[in-house]
Amino acid sequence: MLEIKNLHVKLEEEDKQILKGVNLTVEPGKVHAIMGPNGSGKSTLSYVLSGKDGYEVTEGEATLGGVSLLDMEAEERAAAGLFLAFQYPVEIPGVGNMTFLRTAVNAQRKARGEEEMSAADFLKAVREKAKFLKIDGDMMKRSVNVGFSGGEKKRNEILQMAMLEPKMCILDETDSGLDVDAMKLVSEGVNQLRSPDRGFLVITHYQRLLDHIKPDVVHIMANGRIVKTGGPELALEVENNGYADILAEVE
Amino acid sequence: MTALTNAQRARQRLAEQKAQVSEARIAALAPAPQAGWSAEARADALSRLRAEGLPHPRDEYWKYTRPESLTQAEAPAAAIFTTDEKGIFDAIDRVNVVFVDGVFSEELSSDLALEGVSIERLAETTSDIHWASGLYGKLEKAGQDPVARPLAALNTYAATDGLLIRVTAKATKPVALQYVHNSETSDAMLHHVVKLEEGADLTLLENGPAAARFNKVMEVDVADGASFHHIRAQGRDHERRAVTHIFARLGTESTFKSFTMTVNGVLTRNEVVVEFTGNDAVAHVAGAAVGDGDFHHDDTVFITHDAVNCESRQVFKKVLKNGARGVFQGKILVKPDAQKTDGYQISQSLLLDDDSQFLAKPELEIYADDVACSHGSTSGAIDDDAMFYLRSRGVPEHEAQDLLVIAFLASAMEEIEDETLRDIMLGRITEWLERRRG
Ligand SMILES: Nc1ncnc2c1ncn2[C@@H]1O[C@H](COP(=O)(O)OP(=O)(O)O)[C@@H](O)[C@H]1O
Ligand SMILES: [Mg+2]
């Protein structure tokens, strides 16, 4: 599904190499987790995959379902089935949450040559999914993420994911800023979306989230590279001993 | 004879230049009526105009907007913009009054009868006595202090027509003034007087490019408990020029709300001067302007609080691209006895490229101690993070940009209370954006 080969990325504006040869393959139906110290390049990887400006790929490639992502515009990648749940969801004053969601759903459908979703079908789907995530009508009427609490912003990301039905979901520290109940809610939202033809890449610092969203594979990222890959037990090892041992071992 | 200092000489030269420009302008005008109820006010305006002189680029109040094309004797030509677009207020049930290049058109206008509203034409009321004589040129004159507005004095002196509207009840439908531009060299000058008696209520709509050059004054007297709603759409003609003044005087518990949408036009200067004379009144002045290329739009607002517990609110938003220029000069003056004043002012521009420019001079001058006043002014580009967020959800770049532009304008558009009118205005701005998609 998602295939990243020897990906090297530097900042466009300065001579700073951030990703130094990332290799990673996520198969359909699987959940991969990436853990790693702050500043190791996890968010950068998610941004580069989703097409944010400001980065330059100097080497390597990334494909989704065999199609190269790196030459596409951000919106084309989204239409191709890539979704990023942001570590810091953006506030957009003046754009209603519902309008935003509907515009996004229909823009993707249009890009794929599909018919627009009818207003009634859309409303029905939103209501159902929002209810599950405990997102009330008021949150849908407000401007995108404006005045939302940390937990509300993250739930709103999951709602978008649920409505857009992507093939490949990247979640960047979706657990940060969540209390236990909110984490459970968000995890359940994610688990509902798990399916044999959908892949997940879950970036997190904590084992906590992985108790709820059970990963098939765990990667450790450090200094712009995946330095270790293992099963769910690797996350437990990090939880108990921190990164020091693992980093010393790969040195 | 004592020698003049350099500064004195420079001042003298400036005064001479201004006098020259003013006299040339006055000479090019049709002579104003020497008789009738407005004659005295016109004569007074002429002498004030001569004493002050027309605006000069070196005047502080004209620092950001060049006045020459508005003051020169001949109107610069302006191509007529043809479109099969319907009139913006065509779908609204209204009394429609049409001026073509500043000339009233009986043929295009509807019947001027409306219950509780008397509508007369300035050019047709030539008797010696008229209710409007208490207002014509009077509010304009009051609004010349502390800042001179000579183009308004010029208008009081020379206006060829306009409407005298007296409202004694809640009007059952809006009065709409439609300004048609049909001649490439037209130079129109209209002067309206609107008097709302106690408890009366009127919505006044204005739209259209009016003329190659348009100078318009509207004096509005809102009596105790009366409400005046003003919604204006300035025409799309790219080369038109306009200077407009609104002078409003507000009585106790009265309401004054004015919203202007400006799309295109090579030069627009809209001045709004509001004075609170009765307690507990409300004045909102707002505008949304969108311009591309050869576009200069200036909002100049002066609000004087001279009564207790009044609320004033200014919300001005501009979207500028391809070197378009926006100007905002807004002042809130709170006099010593105007306690419990609530004054708010925001002016913001969204610059869609590096060539466009926003110049702002927000001012507060407060002499009372128990007041809440705030102001803010910003200019900036589209937020990259918001743009990426939208695109990462599959919204194409141009569509994302349009959404963000509309979002930027939202707080100004919300100043239009009537939902139907707000949707009409939003529709026009959306169309403007769509026409500009590269
Ligand atoms: N736009 C940027 N400008 C400057 N430095 C950046 C930028 N983006 C990322 N970095 C740097 O790249 C490194 C990796 O950052 P990031 O991808 O956010 O790490 P992580 O998500 O793993 O904490 C850090 O050293 C960070 O400071
Ligand atoms: Mg990060």
Side-chain angles (χ1 to χ4, degrees):
Chain A
M1 162 133 307
L2 177 67
E3 233 179 309
I4 304 167
K5 281 190 194 146
N6 193 30
L7 191 65
H8 286 69
V9 171
K10 70 181 267 296
L11 293 177
E12 219 167 50
E13 302 268 288
E14 39 180 307
D15 238 354
K16 184 171 175 182
Q17 200 73 33
I18 299 176
L19 299 184
K20 301 165 183 172
V22 174
N23 289 290
L24 181 67
T25 302
V26 180
E27 310 80 12
K30 295 285 192 258
V31 175
H32 285 230
I34 298 186
M35 304 179 82
N38 268 331
S40 54
K42 304 182 299 295
S43 290
T44 302
L45 176 64
S46 69
Y47 285 147
V48 169
L49 291 175
S50 44
K52 189 174 182 176
D53 288 339
Y55 302 100
E56 189 186 327
V57 175
T58 52
E59 221 185 310
E61 57 180 281
T63 55
L64 182 66
V67 183
S68 174
L69 284 173
L70 300 177
D71 304 326
M72 289 188 216
E73 300 289 354
E75 56 267 35
E76 294 169 334
R77 301 180 198 203
L82 187 73
F83 181 90
L84 167 63
F86 281 52
Q87 181 173 0
Y88 304 107
V90 179
E91 297 185 4
I92 315 183
V95 176
N97 206 22
M98 189 72 98
T99 309
F100 163 60
L101 201 50
R102 182 135 188 249
T103 307
V105 166
N106 283 331
Q108 290 203 11
R109 288 184 166 228
K110 198 171 155 198
R112 291 193 292 258
E114 299 164 12
E115 258 192 53
E116 287 200 355
M117 207 168 179
S118 78
D121 287 350
F122 173 80
L123 267 181
K124 191 162 166 264
V126 172
R127 283 218 186 96
E128 185 191 314
K129 294 180 202 303
K131 192 173 167 206
F132 183 82
L133 289 161
K134 297 206 164 66
I135 292 175
D136 60 22
D138 183 52
M139 264 172 77
M140 296 312 300
K141 274 191 217 128
R142 294 204 321 247
S143 293
V144 178
N145 293 323
V146 177
F148 288 25
S149 70
E152 286 172 338
K153 283 181 181 168
K154 297 300 172 83
R155 277 185 275 149
N156 201 33
E157 294 291 287
I158 305 302
L159 175 64
Q160 291 165 31
M161 193 164 91
M163 286 300 296
L164 293 167
E165 302 181 321
K167 289 187 195 135
M168 179 67 220
C169 308
I170 305 173
L171 285 78
D172 191 0
E173 299 206 21
T174 296
D175 49 343
S176 68
L178 295 186
D179 60 29
V180 180
D181 289 340
M183 171 121 63
K184 265 178 93 170
L185 200 59
V186 163
S187 307
E188 278 167 29
V190 172
N191 286 332
Q192 278 233 326
L193 291 171
R194 292 189 66 165
S195 85
D197 46 15
R198 183 171 288 141
F200 285 87
L201 189 57
V202 179
I203 297 170
T204 181
H205 268 301
Y206 303 105
Q207 163 63 27
R208 267 193 332 172
L209 180 70
L210 302 181
D211 285 341
H212 299 289
I213 307 172
K214 297 255 182 315
D216 299 294
V217 183
V218 175
H219 307 273
I220 307 297
M221 187 162 186
N223 193 18
R225 269 191 211 97
I226 304 284
V227 294
K228 191 166 182 182
T229 297
E233 73 287 348
L234 192 51
L236 282 170
E237 193 184 324
V238 169
E239 182 77 358
N240 295 330
N241 307 325
Y243 295 111
D245 290 356
I246 296 167
L247 297 188
E249 175 192 324
V250 297
E251 275 294 296
Chain B
M1 206 173 105
T2 50
L4 294 175
T5 65
N6 279 344
Q8 281 170 325
R9 217 172 287 129
R11 262 201 303 277
Q12 201 175 51
R13 230 181 359 253
L14 180 62
E16 279 164 17
Q17 279 176 21
K18 288 176 84 159
Q20 216 169 39
V21 170
S22 306
E23 291 307 323
R25 180 77 174 104
I26 291 163
L29 293 164
Q34 299 295 307
W37 63 269
S38 70
E40 201 183 313
R42 289 177 188 269
D44 180 62
L46 178 61
S47 64
R48 289 188 281 115
L49 171 63
R50 286 201 155 119
E52 177 61 36
L54 282 170
H56 186 279
R58 239 173 292 155
D59 290 346
E60 182 65 23
Y61 217 43
W62 289 84
K63 196 169 158 183
Y64 301 136
T65 297
R66 296 197 69 97
E68 293 95 324
S69 65
L70 300 171
T71 59
Q72 72 191 44
E74 299 281 316
I80 290 147
F81 178 79
T82 45
T83 168
D84 48 14
E85 206 170 63
K86 283 212 166 145
I88 188 163
F89 299 128
D90 279 8
I92 307 279
D93 182 23
R94 69 213 192 277
V95 171
N96 201 39
V97 186
V98 182
F99 291 90
V100 179
D101 294 300
V103 178
F104 174 75
S105 166
E106 183 156 19
E107 190 192 336
L108 297 174
S109 299
S110 44
D111 181 6
L112 302 190
L114 179 63
E115 208 184 306
V117 183
S118 120
I119 305 172
E120 294 168 278
R121 284 179 46 214
L122 173 64
E124 286 206 322
T125 52
T126 51
S127 59
D128 284 340
I129 302 171
H130 196 274
W131 62 262
S133 65
L135 294 171
Y136 187 91
K138 300 289 194 294
L139 301 190
E140 173 263 301
K141 185 178 182 175
Q144 299 282 347
D145 183 40
V147 191
R149 304 171 201 280
L151 284 160
L154 172 74
N155 179 296
T156 295
Y157 162 62
T160 52
D161 206 350
L163 295 186
L164 310 173
I165 304 176
R166 187 175 185 177
V167 191
T168 50
K170 186 171 166 45
T172 50
K173 51 181 156 179
V175 173
L177 308 184
Q178 191 178 344
Y179 304 118
V180 179
H181 175 206
N182 244 350
S183 145
E184 283 194 9
T185 55
S186 55
D187 193 12
M189 218 183 283
L190 296 178
H191 193 124
H192 310 303
V193 177
V194 184
K195 183 173 170 63
L196 292 113
E197 304 287 3
E198 229 169 274
D201 189 325
L202 177 73
T203 295
L204 185 77
L205 309 174
E206 288 186 288
N207 83 290
R213 180 169 72 178
F214 190 35
N215 178 331
K216 192 204 67 188
V217 166
M218 182 158 73
E219 293 173 289
V220 187
D221 186 38
V222 192
D224 296 353
S227 294
F228 180 66
H229 293 263
H230 174 230
I231 304 283
R232 157 166 75 167
Q234 291 178 308
R236 261 175 71 189
D237 290 36
H238 295 267
E239 295 174 10
R240 62 152 187 85
R241 286 157 205 280
V243 55
T244 77
H245 291 82
I246 297 172
F247 297 94
R249 181 170 71 190
L250 305 194
T252 304
E253 289 179 17
S254 66
T255 301
F256 171 91
K257 292 193 178 172
S258 173
F259 176 90
T260 301
M261 178 181 79
T262 310
V263 175
N264 305 339
V266 68
L267 176 64
T268 307
R269 162 106 162 190
N270 291 331
E271 296 196 19
V272 180
V273 182
V274 175
E275 188 179 13
F276 288 101
T277 59
N279 300 340
D280 307 312
V282 174
H284 290 195
V285 188
V290 295
D292 179 0
D294 209 358
F295 171 89
H296 181 106
H297 184 91
D298 176 336
D299 287 299
T300 290
V301 180
F302 199 111
I303 303 212
T304 304
H305 285 263
D306 199 8
V308 176
N309 196 34
C310 293
E311 175 200 312
S312 72
R313 186 177 164 83
Q314 303 170 46
V315 182
F316 286 91
K317 301 259 188 170
K318 297 175 174 66
V319 178
L320 305 169
K321 72 183 284 189
N322 288 326
R325 295 227 296 176
V327 173
F328 176 78
Q329 308 189 99
K331 178 156 182 167
I332 306 174
L333 169 63
V334 182
K335 297 224 174 153
D337 293 329
Q339 301 298 359
K340 302 219 172 345
T341 287
D342 176 2
Y344 175 80
Q345 178 195 88
I346 184 98
S347 64
Q348 297 182 306
S349 279
L350 181 63
L351 308 177
L352 295 182
D353 50 56
D354 294 338
D355 297 333
S356 302
Q357 199 182 8
F358 178 51
L359 302 158
K361 191 179 177 195
E363 282 182 286
L364 296 178
E365 195 178 329
I366 301 173
Y367 297 103
D369 43 32
D370 182 15
V371 301
C373 281
S374 65
H375 65 159
S377 183
T378 63
S379 63
I382 290 265
D383 178 3
D384 287 341
D385 289 335
M387 194 71 182
F388 174 59
Y389 193 65
L390 289 167
R391 294 178 69 186
S392 79
R393 297 302 181 245
V395 183
E397 187 176 11
H398 60 88
E399 215 175 307
Q401 173 155 330
D402 289 2
L403 264 178
L404 293 174
V405 168
I406 295 287
F408 167 78
L409 292 173
S411 64
M413 303 309 287
E414 276 157 20
E415 289 291 319
I416 308 173
E417 276 177 23
D418 185 288
E419 224 170 293
T420 310
L421 289 171
R422 194 192 313 143
D423 287 347
I424 290 175
M425 294 283 189
L426 263 175
R428 291 296 168 114
I429 287 180
T430 306
E431 284 162 22
W432 182 86
L433 288 167
E434 279 165 4
R435 287 195 297 273
R436 266 151 192 84
R437 278 185 185 169

